[in-house]
Amino acid sequence: MASGIFKNAKVSGAATSVATLYTVPSGKYSTVHSIFVTNRYNLEDLYVNILINDGSNDFYISYLLPVPANLGAVIERPINLNDGETLRVQSSRASSIDIIANVLEFTP
């Protein structure tokens, strides 16, 4: 029987280059329950890309998702990740967007 533990993967001030938010550890699998994105830059709306990498290809969950100034966006759909896959993020402005992913990590 698999056992699971909830984790929060976090990045403060996401970069304009693609960065890894969470990697599924070897021998495990995970379900991302929700992703919270907050725009801390109060002068303009920003955009965020969220994607999954399977080791060789990127698959976008969101592409240029608008995040209003001083507000946030939420993705509340389960996303299943397999051993070694990564959840990656990219912001349209450096040091202005915080991202938290709620992950349930399973050990078979």
Side-chain angles (χ1 to χ4, degrees), residues 14-108:
T16 56
S17 59
V18 176
T20 298
L21 176 63
Y22 172 76
T23 301
V24 179
S26 179
K28 299 187 180 201
Y29 59 96
S30 299
T31 298
V32 178
H33 286 271
S34 56
I35 302 171
F36 297 89
V37 182
T38 303
N39 179 354
R40 294 184 290 125
Y41 187 67
N42 65 358
L43 298 177
E44 66 184 63
D45 295 352
L46 299 177
Y47 301 90
V48 66
N49 295 331
I50 301 173
L51 52 125
I52 295 172
N53 182 278
D54 67 358
S56 57
N57 297 300
D58 288 331
F59 303 92
Y60 285 84
I61 295 167
S62 72
Y63 186 78
L64 297 178
L65 175 71
V67 186
N70 295 319
L71 294 173
V74 180
I75 298 173
E76 294 183 298
R77 303 274 194 262
I79 302 163
N80 297 314
L81 300 174
N82 295 314
D83 181 341
E85 290 185 323
T86 58
L87 183 63
R88 305 176 79 195
V89 296
Q90 180 182 24
S91 172
S92 63
R93 182 179 180 85
S95 304
S96 298
I97 288 185
D98 293 344
I99 302 170
I100 300 173
N102 298 319
V103 180
L104 180 54
E105 189 175 277
F106 294 97
T107 302

